[in-house]
Amino acid sequence: MTELIWVNGKVTKLSEATANYEDRGHQFADGVYEVVRVYKGRGGSGGGVPFTLTEHLERLMRSADGIRLDVPYRVDEIAGEVRKLIDTSGLQEGMVYMQLTRGIAPRNHLFPKKPVPTLYFFTRELPPVPAPGTAEGVKLVTVEDERWKRCWVKSIALLANVLAKNEAAEKGADEAVFSEGGTVTECSASNLFAVGRGVLVTAPVGPKVLPGITRQVLLEVAAEQGIPVIERNPTEYECRCGEELFITSTTRELSWVSHWNGVQIHDRPGEITLRLHRAFQERVRREVGAYQTAMV
Ligand SMILES: Cc1ncc(COP(=O)(O)O)c(C=O)c1O
Protein backbone atom coordinates (compact mmCIF):
# COMPACT_ATOMS: atom_id res chain seq x y z
CA MET A 1 0.00 0.00 0.00
CA THR A 2 1.19 3.52 -0.80
CA GLU A 3 0.53 6.38 1.61
CA LEU A 4 -1.31 8.94 -0.49
CA ILE A 5 -2.42 12.46 0.37
CA TRP A 6 -5.29 14.48 -1.09
CA VAL A 7 -4.79 18.26 -0.78
CA ASN A 8 -7.60 20.49 -2.04
CA GLY A 9 -8.32 17.99 -4.80
CA LYS A 10 -4.73 17.04 -5.77
CA VAL A 11 -3.42 13.56 -4.98
CA THR A 12 0.29 12.79 -4.47
CA LYS A 13 2.44 10.40 -2.49
CA LEU A 14 2.55 11.55 1.13
CA SER A 15 6.37 11.29 1.09
CA GLU A 16 6.52 13.77 -1.82
CA ALA A 17 3.92 16.26 -0.57
CA THR A 18 4.99 19.76 0.48
CA ALA A 19 3.19 22.40 2.54
CA ASN A 20 3.29 26.20 2.67
CA TYR A 21 4.92 27.73 5.78
CA GLU A 22 2.28 30.46 5.84
CA ASP A 23 -0.62 28.09 6.17
CA ARG A 24 -2.49 29.29 9.27
CA GLY A 25 -2.47 25.75 10.58
CA HIS A 26 1.29 26.11 11.17
CA GLN A 27 1.35 29.60 12.61
CA PHE A 28 -1.86 29.73 14.67
CA ALA A 29 -3.08 26.11 14.90
CA ASP A 30 -6.04 27.69 13.09
CA GLY A 31 -7.72 24.47 12.08
CA VAL A 32 -9.54 21.29 12.99
CA TYR A 33 -8.96 17.61 12.28
CA GLU A 34 -10.35 14.09 12.22
CA VAL A 35 -9.02 10.55 12.43
CA VAL A 36 -11.15 7.88 10.76
CA ARG A 37 -10.54 4.17 11.25
CA VAL A 38 -10.41 1.98 8.14
CA TYR A 39 -11.26 -1.72 8.46
CA LYS A 40 -10.41 -4.51 6.11
CA GLY A 41 -13.61 -5.37 4.27
CA ARG A 42 -14.81 -8.60 2.73
CA GLY A 43 -13.15 -8.23 -0.64
CA GLY A 44 -14.31 -5.82 -3.30
CA SER A 45 -13.06 -2.43 -4.26
CA GLY A 46 -9.30 -2.45 -3.56
CA GLY A 47 -9.38 -0.70 -0.22
CA GLY A 48 -10.82 -1.11 3.25
CA VAL A 49 -13.96 0.56 4.58
CA PRO A 50 -13.93 3.76 6.65
CA PHE A 51 -16.06 3.26 9.79
CA THR A 52 -18.58 6.01 10.72
CA LEU A 53 -17.13 8.27 8.00
CA THR A 54 -20.24 10.44 7.83
CA GLU A 55 -20.26 10.93 11.62
CA HIS A 56 -16.60 12.02 11.51
CA LEU A 57 -17.24 14.43 8.65
CA GLU A 58 -20.29 15.88 10.39
CA ARG A 59 -18.12 16.47 13.47
CA LEU A 60 -15.50 18.11 11.21
CA MET A 61 -18.22 20.48 10.00
CA ARG A 62 -19.30 21.27 13.59
CA SER A 63 -15.68 21.84 14.60
CA ALA A 64 -15.16 24.14 11.58
CA ASP A 65 -18.30 26.05 12.55
CA GLY A 66 -16.91 26.29 16.09
CA ILE A 67 -13.89 28.23 14.78
CA ARG A 68 -15.96 30.25 12.28
CA LEU A 69 -14.53 28.52 9.24
CA ASP A 70 -16.69 27.93 6.16
CA VAL A 71 -16.01 24.59 4.53
CA PRO A 72 -16.06 24.75 0.73
CA TYR A 73 -17.18 21.11 0.40
CA ARG A 74 -20.24 19.07 1.38
CA VAL A 75 -19.97 16.01 3.61
CA ASP A 76 -20.89 13.63 0.76
CA GLU A 77 -18.29 15.21 -1.55
CA ILE A 78 -15.51 14.74 1.00
CA ALA A 79 -16.74 11.21 1.79
CA GLY A 80 -16.53 10.26 -1.89
CA GLU A 81 -12.98 11.61 -2.20
CA VAL A 82 -11.90 9.84 1.01
CA ARG A 83 -13.24 6.51 -0.27
CA LYS A 84 -11.50 7.02 -3.62
CA LEU A 85 -8.19 7.76 -1.89
CA ILE A 86 -8.48 4.65 0.28
CA ASP A 87 -9.11 2.52 -2.82
CA THR A 88 -6.30 4.11 -4.86
CA SER A 89 -3.79 3.74 -2.04
CA GLY A 90 -4.87 0.14 -1.40
CA LEU A 91 -5.24 0.79 2.33
CA GLN A 92 -7.00 -2.12 4.01
CA GLU A 93 -6.46 -1.75 7.75
CA GLY A 94 -5.51 1.65 9.10
CA MET A 95 -6.66 5.22 9.29
CA VAL A 96 -7.28 8.38 7.37
CA TYR A 97 -5.96 11.55 9.02
CA MET A 98 -7.82 14.64 7.90
CA GLN A 99 -7.05 18.30 8.56
CA LEU A 100 -8.83 21.50 7.63
CA THR A 101 -7.19 24.89 8.18
CA ARG A 102 -8.05 28.51 7.37
CA GLY A 103 -5.50 28.28 4.56
CA ILE A 104 -2.51 30.28 3.39
CA ALA A 105 -2.25 34.01 4.15
CA PRO A 106 0.45 36.49 5.30
CA ARG A 107 0.84 36.04 9.08
CA ASN A 108 -1.79 38.09 10.89
CA HIS A 109 -4.01 37.19 13.83
CA LEU A 110 -7.00 38.62 11.97
CA PHE A 111 -8.84 36.23 9.65
CA PRO A 112 -7.88 36.69 5.96
CA LYS A 113 -10.58 38.57 4.03
CA LYS A 114 -11.13 35.75 1.53
CA PRO A 115 -9.74 32.58 3.08
CA VAL A 116 -9.14 29.55 0.89
CA PRO A 117 -9.21 26.69 3.41
CA THR A 118 -6.66 23.91 3.12
CA LEU A 119 -8.30 20.50 3.36
CA TYR A 120 -6.06 17.48 3.27
CA PHE A 121 -6.28 13.83 4.19
CA PHE A 122 -3.86 10.94 3.94
CA THR A 123 -3.94 7.17 4.34
CA ARG A 124 -1.85 5.19 6.85
CA GLU A 125 -1.68 1.52 7.77
CA LEU A 126 -2.29 0.47 11.37
CA PRO A 127 -2.19 -2.96 12.97
CA PRO A 128 -5.65 -4.48 13.51
CA VAL A 129 -7.23 -3.76 16.89
CA PRO A 130 -6.59 -6.73 19.22
CA ALA A 131 -9.56 -9.00 19.94
CA PRO A 132 -11.44 -8.01 23.12
CA GLY A 133 -9.56 -9.07 26.23
CA THR A 134 -6.31 -10.00 24.48
CA ALA A 135 -4.36 -6.75 24.94
CA GLU A 136 -2.64 -5.59 28.11
CA GLY A 137 -4.45 -3.10 30.29
CA VAL A 138 -3.80 0.60 29.87
CA LYS A 139 -1.96 2.60 32.53
CA LEU A 140 -3.41 6.01 33.31
CA VAL A 141 -1.93 9.01 35.12
CA THR A 142 -3.96 12.03 36.23
CA VAL A 143 -2.95 15.46 34.96
CA GLU A 144 -4.57 18.79 35.82
CA ASP A 145 -6.94 19.82 32.99
CA GLU A 146 -5.49 23.11 31.77
CA ARG A 147 -7.18 23.10 28.37
CA TRP A 148 -9.53 25.72 26.96
CA LYS A 149 -13.32 25.48 27.31
CA ARG A 150 -14.10 24.49 23.74
CA CYS A 151 -12.86 20.92 23.83
CA TRP A 152 -15.92 19.90 21.82
CA VAL A 153 -14.03 21.46 18.88
CA LYS A 154 -11.55 18.91 17.54
CA SER A 155 -8.88 21.57 17.24
CA ILE A 156 -5.36 20.98 15.94
CA ALA A 157 -4.14 23.08 18.92
CA LEU A 158 -3.16 19.99 20.90
CA LEU A 159 -0.21 21.21 22.96
CA ALA A 160 -1.92 20.68 26.34
CA ASN A 161 -2.80 17.13 25.24
CA VAL A 162 0.74 16.53 23.96
CA LEU A 163 2.28 17.73 27.23
CA ALA A 164 -0.16 15.64 29.28
CA LYS A 165 0.51 12.48 27.27
CA ASN A 166 4.26 12.96 27.58
CA GLU A 167 3.97 13.51 31.32
CA ALA A 168 2.08 10.20 31.51
CA ALA A 169 4.70 8.44 29.36
CA GLU A 170 7.53 9.77 31.54
CA LYS A 171 5.75 8.18 34.51
CA GLY A 172 5.60 4.82 32.69
CA ALA A 173 1.92 5.18 31.72
CA ASP A 174 0.08 5.04 28.38
CA GLU A 175 -2.46 7.80 28.63
CA ALA A 176 -3.15 10.95 30.68
CA VAL A 177 -6.52 11.53 32.37
CA PHE A 178 -7.55 15.16 32.73
CA SER A 179 -8.68 15.92 36.24
CA GLU A 180 -10.60 18.96 37.50
CA GLY A 181 -11.26 19.36 41.22
CA GLY A 182 -11.44 15.63 41.94
CA THR A 183 -13.53 14.63 38.91
CA VAL A 184 -12.31 13.59 35.49
CA THR A 185 -13.27 14.86 32.07
CA GLU A 186 -11.54 12.72 29.44
CA CYS A 187 -8.06 11.59 28.45
CA SER A 188 -5.47 13.23 26.21
CA ALA A 189 -6.71 11.28 23.15
CA SER A 190 -9.66 9.22 24.37
CA ASN A 191 -12.92 9.31 26.35
CA LEU A 192 -13.24 7.54 29.69
CA PHE A 193 -15.94 5.28 31.14
CA ALA A 194 -16.20 4.04 34.71
CA VAL A 195 -18.43 1.10 35.63
CA GLY A 196 -20.08 0.92 39.04
CA ARG A 197 -22.94 -1.39 40.07
CA GLY A 198 -23.44 -2.31 36.43
CA VAL A 199 -23.93 1.32 35.35
CA LEU A 200 -21.64 3.19 32.94
CA VAL A 201 -20.57 6.66 34.01
CA THR A 202 -18.97 9.02 31.50
CA ALA A 203 -18.54 12.80 31.37
CA PRO A 204 -21.05 14.70 29.21
CA VAL A 205 -19.63 16.18 26.02
CA GLY A 206 -19.15 19.93 26.02
CA PRO A 207 -16.60 22.52 27.14
CA LYS A 208 -14.12 19.94 28.46
CA VAL A 209 -15.07 16.77 26.60
CA LEU A 210 -14.80 15.95 22.90
CA PRO A 211 -17.90 14.28 21.44
CA GLY A 212 -15.96 11.12 20.65
CA ILE A 213 -17.41 9.13 17.77
CA THR A 214 -16.43 5.88 19.50
CA ARG A 215 -18.06 7.21 22.69
CA GLN A 216 -21.28 7.83 20.73
CA VAL A 217 -21.26 4.39 19.10
CA LEU A 218 -20.57 2.87 22.50
CA LEU A 219 -23.56 4.66 24.05
CA GLU A 220 -25.73 3.17 21.29
CA VAL A 221 -24.21 -0.27 21.82
CA ALA A 222 -24.76 0.02 25.59
CA ALA A 223 -28.42 0.88 24.98
CA GLU A 224 -28.77 -2.19 22.71
CA GLN A 225 -27.18 -4.30 25.44
CA GLY A 226 -29.50 -2.87 28.12
CA ILE A 227 -26.59 -1.37 30.09
CA PRO A 228 -27.62 1.89 31.76
CA VAL A 229 -25.50 5.02 31.29
CA ILE A 230 -25.23 8.16 33.42
CA GLU A 231 -23.57 11.19 31.85
CA ARG A 232 -21.71 13.04 34.58
CA ASN A 233 -18.04 13.51 35.39
CA PRO A 234 -16.88 10.46 37.34
CA THR A 235 -14.88 11.19 40.47
CA GLU A 236 -11.26 10.07 40.64
CA TYR A 237 -12.30 7.81 43.51
CA GLU A 238 -14.98 6.13 41.35
CA CYS A 239 -12.44 5.55 38.59
CA ARG A 240 -9.82 4.12 40.94
CA CYS A 241 -12.13 2.02 43.11
CA GLY A 242 -15.00 1.17 40.72
CA GLU A 243 -15.71 -2.24 39.23
CA GLU A 244 -14.31 -1.54 35.77
CA LEU A 245 -12.68 1.28 33.87
CA PHE A 246 -12.05 1.67 30.14
CA ILE A 247 -11.21 4.28 27.53
CA THR A 248 -12.42 4.66 23.95
CA SER A 249 -11.08 6.15 20.73
CA THR A 250 -11.23 5.63 16.99
CA THR A 251 -7.84 3.92 16.76
CA ARG A 252 -8.07 1.83 19.96
CA GLU A 253 -11.85 1.09 20.09
CA LEU A 254 -12.10 0.06 23.80
CA SER A 255 -9.10 -0.45 26.10
CA TRP A 256 -9.49 -1.72 29.66
CA VAL A 257 -7.54 0.13 32.35
CA SER A 258 -5.21 -1.76 34.68
CA HIS A 259 -3.28 1.01 36.47
CA TRP A 260 -4.13 4.40 37.94
CA ASN A 261 -1.27 6.67 39.02
CA GLY A 262 1.17 3.75 39.24
CA VAL A 263 -1.13 1.48 41.28
CA GLN A 264 -2.70 -1.64 39.81
CA ILE A 265 -6.49 -1.34 40.06
CA HIS A 266 -7.54 -4.34 37.88
CA ASP A 267 -5.73 -7.46 36.72
CA ARG A 268 -8.07 -8.30 33.82
CA PRO A 269 -10.73 -6.63 31.69
CA GLY A 270 -14.15 -6.53 33.34
CA GLU A 271 -17.20 -8.40 32.10
CA ILE A 272 -19.12 -5.33 30.97
CA THR A 273 -16.05 -3.94 29.19
CA LEU A 274 -15.63 -7.21 27.29
CA ARG A 275 -19.31 -7.45 26.47
CA LEU A 276 -19.36 -3.91 25.14
CA HIS A 277 -16.18 -4.39 23.14
CA ARG A 278 -17.54 -7.56 21.50
CA ALA A 279 -20.80 -5.79 20.67
CA PHE A 280 -18.83 -2.81 19.33
CA GLN A 281 -16.83 -5.10 17.01
CA GLU A 282 -20.04 -6.78 15.91
CA ARG A 283 -21.37 -3.35 14.95
CA VAL A 284 -18.18 -2.64 12.98
CA ARG A 285 -18.51 -5.99 11.17
CA ARG A 286 -22.15 -5.27 10.35
CA GLU A 287 -21.44 -1.82 8.95
CA VAL A 288 -18.31 -2.77 7.04
CA GLY A 289 -20.07 -5.84 5.64
CA ALA A 290 -23.19 -3.88 4.70
CA TYR A 291 -21.08 -1.29 2.89
CA GLN A 292 -19.23 -3.98 0.93
CA THR A 293 -22.50 -5.68 -0.01
CA ALA A 294 -23.97 -2.38 -1.20
CA MET A 295 -20.91 -1.85 -3.45
CA VAL A 296 -21.16 -5.24 -5.21
C1 LIG B 1 -9.25 14.63 23.56
C2 LIG B 1 -9.89 13.47 22.90
N1 LIG B 1 -10.97 12.90 23.47
C3 LIG B 1 -11.58 11.83 22.92
C4 LIG B 1 -11.11 11.26 21.74
C5 LIG B 1 -11.83 10.07 21.15
O1 LIG B 1 -12.59 10.47 20.05
P1 LIG B 1 -12.96 9.47 18.86
O2 LIG B 1 -13.67 8.34 19.48
O3 LIG B 1 -13.81 10.27 17.95
O4 LIG B 1 -11.66 9.05 18.24
C6 LIG B 1 -10.01 11.83 21.10
C7 LIG B 1 -9.51 11.25 19.85
O5 LIG B 1 -8.57 11.69 19.27
C8 LIG B 1 -9.39 12.96 21.69
O6 LIG B 1 -8.33 13.55 21.10
Side-chain angles (χ1 to χ4, degrees):
M1 106 106 201
T2 318
E3 288 186 339
L4 294 181
I5 184 166
W6 182 106
V7 188
N8 284 359
K10 245 188 99 197
V11 175
T12 49
K13 283 187 182 166
L14 178 60
S15 57
E16 291 168 5
T18 54
N20 188 305
Y21 289 113
E22 287 224 286
D23 191 291
R24 292 177 64 90
H26 296 141
Q27 293 176 340
F28 298 107
D30 189 357
V32 295
Y33 77 106
E34 281 297 326
V35 176
V36 183
R37 179 93 208 183
V38 177
Y39 290 95
K40 197 170 159 65
R42 297 183 189 141
S45 51
V49 182
F51 180 60
T52 51
L53 177 59
T54 303
E55 288 82 348
H56 280 279
L57 292 176
E58 284 171 351
R59 183 173 63 183
L60 184 77
M61 295 296 178
R62 289 198 303 277
S63 294
D65 199 43
I67 64 164
R68 297 165 58 196
L69 175 56
D70 290 330
V71 186
Y73 306 97
R74 292 190 318 267
V75 163
D76 62 313
E77 287 172 339
I78 306 176
E81 294 299 316
V82 167
R83 290 200 165 99
K84 255 197 268 170
L85 195 76
I86 292 171
D87 285 343
T88 314
S89 75
L91 175 67
Q92 287 285 340
E93 189 75 42
M95 65 157 189
V96 171
Y97 176 83
M98 185 177 299
Q99 186 167 301
L100 174 73
T101 73
R102 210 177 304 272
I104 300 159
R107 188 179 184 280
N108 186 336
H109 284 60
L110 293 174
F111 294 157
K113 291 255 175 327
K114 288 188 183 146
V116 179
T118 307
L119 174 65
Y120 75 73
F121 42 85
F122 64 79
T123 54
R124 172 147 298 160
E125 262 175 356
L126 289 177
V129 177
T134 59
E136 278 188 21
V138 163
K139 300 181 170 95
L140 300 183
V141 160
T142 52
V143 173
E144 191 60 27
D145 197 343
E146 291 172 341
R147 299 171 303 158
W148 71 340
K149 294 179 186 158
R150 301 188 202 181
C151 294
W152 58 272
V153 172
K154 200 163 166 61
S155 159
I156 59 173
L158 284 172
L159 197 49
N161 305 53
V162 166
L163 291 171
K165 182 118 177 179
N166 279 276
E167 189 177 325
E170 281 152 18
K171 292 178 177 162
D174 307 293
E175 177 59 309
V177 187
F178 289 119
S179 166
E180 259 189 346
T183 69
V184 304
T185 49
E186 61 175 344
C187 299
S188 78
S190 48
N191 293 106
L192 177 132
F193 289 77
V195 185
R197 298 195 181 138
V199 177
L200 288 180
V201 179
T202 192
V205 300
K208 283 305 182 105
V209 178
L210 181 80
I213 302 298
T214 322
R215 176 190 182 280
Q216 183 52 42
V217 173
L218 199 86
L219 293 183
E220 291 162 22
V221 166
E224 282 162 20
Q225 295 285 315
I227 300 169
V229 181
I230 299 176
E231 291 189 67
R232 64 165 171 77
N233 289 16
T235 64
E236 281 192 40
Y237 179 82
E238 260 180 310
C239 293
R240 226 178 36 241
C241 303
E243 286 151 20
E244 302 178 29
L245 189 64
F246 64 86
I247 60 176
T248 62
S249 80
T250 292
T251 49
R252 65 169 72 243
E253 297 180 348
L254 268 73
S255 302
W256 68 283
V257 177
S258 61
H259 288 71
W260 184 275
N261 286 347
V263 177
Q264 184 166 39
I265 55 168
H266 299 291
D267 62 1
R268 73 194 75 159
E271 234 172 80
I272 290 184
T273 308
L274 280 178
R275 205 169 120 203
L276 284 169
H277 198 178
R278 288 191 190 110
F280 181 92
Q281 289 201 336
E282 189 45 46
R283 163 91 174 250
V284 172
R285 273 193 291 274
R286 269 205 318 267
E287 285 193 20
V288 169
Y291 177 77
Q292 293 286 7
T293 310
M295 289 295 109
V296 171

